Amino acid sequence: MLVLGQGARRFHVAAALNAKAKVAMSRFEPNSSINYDKLRSNIDIVRKRLNRPLTLSEKIVYGHLDDPAGQEIVRGRTYLRLRPDRVAMQDATAQMAMLQFISSGLPKVAVPSTIHCDHLIEAQTGGAQDLQRAKEINQEVYNFLASAGAKYGVGFWKPGSGIIHQIILENYAYPGVMLIGTDSHTPNGGGLGCICIGVGGADAVDVMAGIPWELKCPNVIGVKLTGTLSGWTSPKDVILKVAGILTVKGGTGAIVEYHGPGVDSISCTGMATICNMGAEIGATTSVFPYNHRMRTYLEKTGREEIAAQANENQDLLVPDSGCHYDQIIEINLSELKPHINGPFTPDLAHPVSDIGSVAEKNGWPLDVKVGLIGSCTNSSYEDMGRAASLAKQALDKGLKCKAQFTVTPGSEQIRATIERDGYAKMLRDVGGVVLANACGPCIGQWDRRDVKKGEKNTIVTSFNRNFTARNDANPATHAFVTSPEIVTALAIAGTLKFNPETDFLTAPNGEKFKLLPPTGDELPARDFDPGQDTYQQPPADGSGLRVDVNPQSNRLQLLEPFDRWNGKDLEDLQVLIKVKGKCTTDHISAAGPWLKFRGHLDNISNNLLIGAVNTENDAVNKIRNYLTGEFGGVPDVARYYKKHNVSWVVVGDENYGEGSSREHAALEPRHLGGRAIIVKSFARIHGECEISPPPNLKLSVIKQVILIHLSCLSTETNLKKQGLLPLTFSNPADYDKICPDDKISIVGLKSFAPGKPLKAVIKHSDGSSETIELNHTFNETQSEWFQAGSALNRMKELQK
């Protein structure tokens, strides 16, 4: 076992260190460890029990079992009690997580944990200016997170450090680790052979309390890669192709495991790109087997000792020969063509060679207004180098981008290194603006001013998600996701009709020329420049420190308990909105400028369902108030109903809640008086998981730690945790029976039990009524949450 102690450095081989790296603070906590002996022991126990070859994901997941000898293991059915190695939180979700951890009464986190300030920096004019502005605007939140981290033993990455997933890859990920993070793209770490799973903030709190975490035993989808990447084809094209095959729901309840000879042609950061966007197919997570690419990356990021141990234990970090996959997809990388997916959904896949004609046929704007590269998906040194190689070709011919062009470095280390090596200058010279090391436009943190809201336009990005209005709050923006190389080429050409593999550009002197395929080093020849030191390590003892939450703050707010169920059926619930079509978490609880209110429930509730389409009028954020007869915004009408003691229900379509984990997508409707969400189906972005205490742990010890069941990134379960009823139509056609002005009574609650459907009486405005059946997935513990008013309320009851 290799223990990384207090004096460990991110770059700890003296010969490779430059002056800045030598003074870098420790990125590893004293209790961080790489315990391949424990992993091997658990795997050996499970292998003897199952008596069959194991996939890589099974090895890592089962290797973290709390009780490998007694745990029942059936893919897709049983729940596994696991011991994750660490927790990572981005600043938007960390606010609620730390507020809940403070209320738990625990003195310090039980597993290594970090906070990463990446979500609250708005892209406006450029990196330095935007970062300074963010520090001023978000000072209260940053101070809260820094002080809470110091008190409770959580590492704090300051604003400007970079995007959480890039920081994890550079510092904390290693082959065989199990990490949970409060962001849906946590699976990025799978590019370094890790099982990294996105969870909600409350789930992170429980893991930080040292409680075994339960995951529904995932199925395993195998993606066999053959051939070799070359030319214009990039790692991003692999996941764009897979998304087109599996769609946004095809990975539900499964880990996607890449394997085959083609893996070795992909860089470590390229593998991370593929795993990152696996969130868009609903996968629990994605993972690659350990190989020489990962070893080189570990060595280049100062983790030679980890690489050495991984080499010694490589049999644990690759799938067994003859292992079984529940589904297999085969992709020949030598035949794979560059792809571009969109608009409005990340699974609408097109070869780049076809997108121009497809756009013309569908009436999508052909002119590219903005090209954006970077984000947690594509902001590596290799990504930036390949984009810069195209910029240089254009500059050599006297060309600059016809479209606006932005560049988001993934971390301070990437920013400093591409500045040193000249990539940043090339990208600026071709017309690019280098933004702060943060999420920025990818999550809607973009003060876009070149088009008016409602103006139809096209943008191309190297991001992961392209839901309606996600990037710029403009529902008329047609956003396409592709590789940084294709983004750069299309930004130079200024049109979707440009195919860089076949088409010519025209230089200012009239010369016709083709762009040569992009090139770029996988890793810098001169090692990474770590840049500015942006890490705050918590003190060994933070018990004497104090964390304050100002009652007058409009950014932070302590939580009040929700009301208990009154023991009666829910009668005459007003339909707040009947949603038409796609309703992602971006529609339910938008990000962008709303991120600043993530720590203040009442304020952020003003964005409830403002992106959802109302069936009554096909309008967004315009619903009828049936008490007054007037139209108003969704949160305004909800508040009016709450003020007048009118409970309400939301009716939705298929895959409700697709997208990022948003506890607020459940907290907000509950806070504003909602009682139930009735839909055709719910999205389960990262499977189903559960957290529960070991039998010998007293509730007085865990205090206010929530007993979470079936949590992870399931919108349905987040609703349960807040005391709402997430229900599905037994007959999806019953969706059409409900009118926007109906009232709905949910009956049968007095005998509410697992597996027993409920009834809904639909009362129409003409006096008629009809009864339909509604299904639910509550287990006994979750039923107790509903009765108590929330999971938190139930936990407090158990402490009495």
Side-chain angles (χ1 to χ4, degrees):
M1 180 177 72
L2 169 65
V3 179
L4 299 172
Q6 185 75 21
R9 304 283 181 177
R10 177 169 60 169
F11 301 95
H12 47 78
V13 175
L17 297 178
N18 59 33
K20 290 184 178 179
K22 286 181 180 178
V23 298
M25 294 181 65
S26 170
R27 278 27 172 181
F28 296 93
E29 296 75 10
N31 56 341
S32 293
S33 64
I34 301 167
N35 196 338
Y36 285 125
D37 291 342
K38 179 67 173 177
L39 190 69
R40 182 176 296 279
S41 174
N42 283 4
I43 291 172
D44 286 345
I45 293 170
V46 172
R47 193 194 305 279
K48 289 177 183 177
R49 291 181 53 209
L50 299 181
N51 194 31
R52 62 171 174 81
L54 301 177
T55 68
L56 169 61
S57 51
E58 287 182 308
K59 288 182 180 182
I60 301 175
V61 171
Y62 303 163
H64 285 81
L65 285 170
D66 186 52
D67 179 15
Q71 173 71 61
E72 183 181 6
I73 302 171
V74 182
R75 283 191 201 171
R77 287 179 49 194
T78 59
Y79 287 88
L80 309 176
R81 293 168 58 87
L82 302 166
R83 290 283 185 180
D85 296 304
R86 67 180 305 123
V87 173
M89 299 169 281
Q90 42 96 334
D91 49 357
T93 49
Q95 296 171 58
M96 195 62 70
M98 293 310 296
L99 285 167
Q100 292 180 76
F101 191 85
I102 289 170
S103 72
S104 75
L106 296 172
K108 192 173 184 178
V109 295
V111 300
S113 304
T114 48
I115 295 169
H116 303 260
C117 295
D118 61 0
H119 271 56
L120 302 181
I121 302 169
E122 184 184 50
Q124 189 176 80
T125 58
Q129 305 95 313
D130 294 344
L131 177 58
Q132 183 56 40
R133 179 170 172 265
K135 288 179 178 179
E136 295 169 358
I137 292 173
N138 302 306
Q139 181 179 9
E140 177 186 12
V141 171
Y142 292 149
N143 287 345
F144 165 72
L145 294 175
S147 59
K151 181 172 180 63
Y152 296 105
V154 179
F156 179 71
W157 289 84
K158 302 172 187 176
S161 301
I163 304 171
I164 177 174
H165 312 304
Q166 184 68 27
I167 298 295
I168 290 171
L169 201 70
E170 293 173 355
N171 295 275
Y172 302 119
Y174 63 84
V177 76
M178 173 173 278
L179 178 149
I180 66 165
T182 62
D183 189 277
S184 59
H185 293 105
T186 300
N188 187 81
L192 200 44
C194 319
I195 291 295
C196 299
I197 301 176
V199 300
D203 308 325
V205 172
D206 291 347
V207 175
M208 289 190 291
I211 297 172
W213 176 63
E214 295 191 7
L215 174 73
K216 190 172 186 180
C217 190
N219 291 315
V220 186
I221 298 173
V223 179
K224 183 179 180 180
L225 302 179
T226 59
T228 304
L229 285 179
S230 63
W232 283 90
T233 306
S234 76
K236 185 67 163 283
D237 297 307
V238 176
I239 186 57
L240 294 175
K241 178 71 173 178
V242 170
I245 295 170
L246 289 177
T247 78
V248 293
K249 296 191 289 184
T252 300
I255 293 176
V256 178
E257 184 172 312
Y258 294 85
H259 63 284
V263 167
D264 285 341
S265 74
I266 305 173
S267 67
C268 177
T269 53
M271 291 185 245
T273 290
I274 295 168
C275 293
N276 177 292
M277 198 174 161
E280 272 51 75
I281 58 173
T284 301
T285 191
S286 302
V287 67
F288 276 83
Y290 179 68
N291 66 3
H292 71 280
R293 301 276 194 162
M294 296 182 191
R295 181 181 70 242
T296 301
Y297 184 81
L298 286 168
E299 291 170 349
K300 208 69 170 180
T301 51
R303 292 173 284 176
E304 293 85 353
E305 295 177 60
I306 300 175
Q309 285 223 0
N311 286 341
E312 292 174 6
N313 293 277
Q314 187 161 358
D315 61 307
L316 305 178
L317 307 174
V318 297
D320 289 338
S321 176
C323 65
H324 171 72
Y325 295 102
D326 297 285
Q327 177 182 352
I328 293 182
I329 297 169
E330 293 194 25
I331 297 176
N332 186 334
L333 300 180
S334 298
E335 298 174 355
L336 183 64
K337 290 293 185 181
H339 273 62
I340 182 169
N341 289 21
F344 306 122
T345 184
D347 59 353
L348 185 58
H350 322 273
V352 170
S353 57
D354 296 344
I355 189 60
S357 59
V358 172
E360 281 187 311
K361 180 180 178 180
N362 287 281
W364 301 335
L366 291 173
D367 290 344
V368 175
K369 290 288 188 181
V370 190
L372 305 97
I373 66 171
S375 85
C376 64
T377 317
N378 278 113
S379 57
S380 68
Y381 184 82
E382 181 182 35
D383 289 329
M384 296 300 169
R386 286 170 65 87
S389 75
L390 298 175
K392 186 177 187 304
Q393 291 183 57
L395 290 168
D396 287 346
K397 297 293 184 178
L399 276 185
K400 291 191 174 185
C401 291
K402 288 185 178 179
Q404 293 183 45
F405 187 47
T406 69
V407 180
T408 305
S411 68
E412 170 60 8
Q413 176 170 276
I414 295 296
R415 182 208 63 77
T417 307
I418 66 171
E419 286 286 359
R420 181 198 68 192
D421 293 351
Y423 292 166
K425 184 178 188 304
M426 292 178 198
L427 295 170
R428 277 193 291 263
D429 287 348
V430 84
V433 176
V434 178
L435 301 174
N437 314 322
C439 300
C442 182
I443 61 166
Q445 283 284 46
W446 183 16
D447 184 17
R448 189 181 181 192
R449 300 181 181 182
D450 64 297
V451 297
K452 295 180 180 179
K453 190 171 184 178
E455 182 180 340
K456 200 173 178 181
N457 74 100
T458 285
I459 65 173
V460 290
T461 82
S462 68
F463 303 162
N464 42 45
R465 217 163 258 168
N466 58 347
F467 300 140
T468 302
R470 175 175 173 84
N471 302 124
D472 62 358
N474 181 3
T477 292
H478 292 55
F480 296 84
V481 292
T482 184
S483 68
E485 300 94 312
I486 296 298
V487 171
T488 305
L490 295 180
I492 292 169
T495 175
L496 287 178
K497 296 190 72 174
F498 180 69
N499 177 5
E501 290 190 295
T502 59
D503 295 345
F504 288 79
L505 295 169
T506 304
N509 65 1
E511 177 189 356
K512 300 283 187 180
F513 72 99
K514 283 176 63 176
L515 291 171
L516 299 175
T519 59
D521 291 337
E522 179 178 343
L523 294 164
R526 290 193 286 160
D527 295 327
F528 283 107
D529 181 343
Q532 299 179 34
D533 185 10
T534 54
Y535 179 69
Q536 172 187 294
Q537 182 162 308
D541 181 7
S543 59
L545 301 178
R546 180 173 178 172
V547 181
D548 291 321
V549 176
N550 185 347
Q552 306 304 316
S553 172
N554 70 349
R555 300 289 302 273
L556 299 165
Q557 180 189 47
L558 296 174
L559 296 175
E560 294 291 333
F562 292 128
D563 60 306
R564 286 181 52 83
W565 175 54
N566 62 10
K568 303 177 182 178
D569 289 335
L570 298 177
E571 297 282 352
D572 295 330
L573 300 176
Q574 180 66 57
V575 174
L576 176 69
I577 180 174
K578 183 181 179 184
V579 177
K580 179 180 180 180
K582 185 184 284 282
C583 191
T584 71
T585 47
D586 282 322
H587 296 92
I588 304 166
S589 177
W594 294 97
L595 287 172
K596 61 178 174 286
F597 297 125
R598 281 288 183 90
H600 197 294
L601 179 56
D602 191 58
N603 284 343
I604 200 171
S605 294
N606 288 322
N607 76 357
L608 174 66
L609 287 161
I610 61 175
V613 177
N614 180 12
T615 56
E616 183 176 7
N617 53 14
D618 284 339
V620 172
N621 199 29
K622 186 178 181 181
I623 62 173
R624 190 186 301 275
N625 183 328
Y626 288 97
L627 295 184
T628 66
E630 300 176 351
F631 280 90
V634 179
D636 299 324
V637 174
R639 286 185 186 278
Y640 190 92
Y641 287 164
K642 180 180 180 181
K643 182 179 178 182
H644 291 82
N645 297 313
V646 174
S647 297
W648 48 263
V649 61
V650 169
V651 177
D653 211 319
E654 295 278 6
N655 213 33
Y656 182 92
E658 170 192 353
S660 297
S661 172
R662 300 265 166 83
E663 285 181 290
H664 299 83
L667 284 163
E668 292 175 31
R670 183 72 164 98
H671 176 66
L672 293 185
R675 290 295 179 179
I677 310 291
I678 305 173
V679 300
K680 292 182 181 178
S681 66
F682 287 99
R684 292 177 177 86
I685 295 301
H686 283 286
E688 299 177 356
C689 54
E690 175 178 344
I691 296 175
S692 56
N696 60 349
L697 185 61
K698 297 180 180 179
L699 284 168
S700 59
V701 175
I702 63 170
K703 299 218 171 178
Q704 295 184 18
V705 178
I706 307 172
L707 310 185
I708 304 297
H709 290 260
L710 303 173
S711 52
C712 256
L713 285 184
S714 166
T715 296
E716 182 180 8
T717 302
N718 277 333
L719 293 166
K720 295 176 186 177
K721 285 156 53 180
Q722 305 310 331
L724 286 154
L725 288 173
L727 306 169
T728 56
F729 297 103
S730 292
N731 180 1
D734 288 343
Y735 168 89
D736 297 320
K737 294 180 179 180
I738 298 176
C739 301
D741 60 349
D742 286 344
K743 292 185 177 180
I744 300 175
S745 294
I746 299 174
V747 299
L749 289 174
K750 291 183 179 179
S751 57
F752 189 36
K756 183 178 181 181
L758 295 170
K759 300 288 185 181
V761 180
I762 306 169
K763 302 177 182 179
H764 302 301
S765 57
D766 62 3
S768 64
S769 65
E770 50 190 318
T771 300
I772 63 173
E773 187 175 82
L774 300 175
N775 294 329
H776 67 85
T777 60
F778 280 81
N779 60 27
E780 290 185 6
T781 300
Q782 293 168 342
S783 299
E784 294 172 353
W785 296 350
F786 170 72
Q787 295 163 1
S790 71
L792 180 58
N793 288 358
R794 177 57 181 159
M795 179 276 301
K796 291 181 177 178
E797 290 177 353
L798 293 173
Q799 293 180 34
K800 295 178 180 178

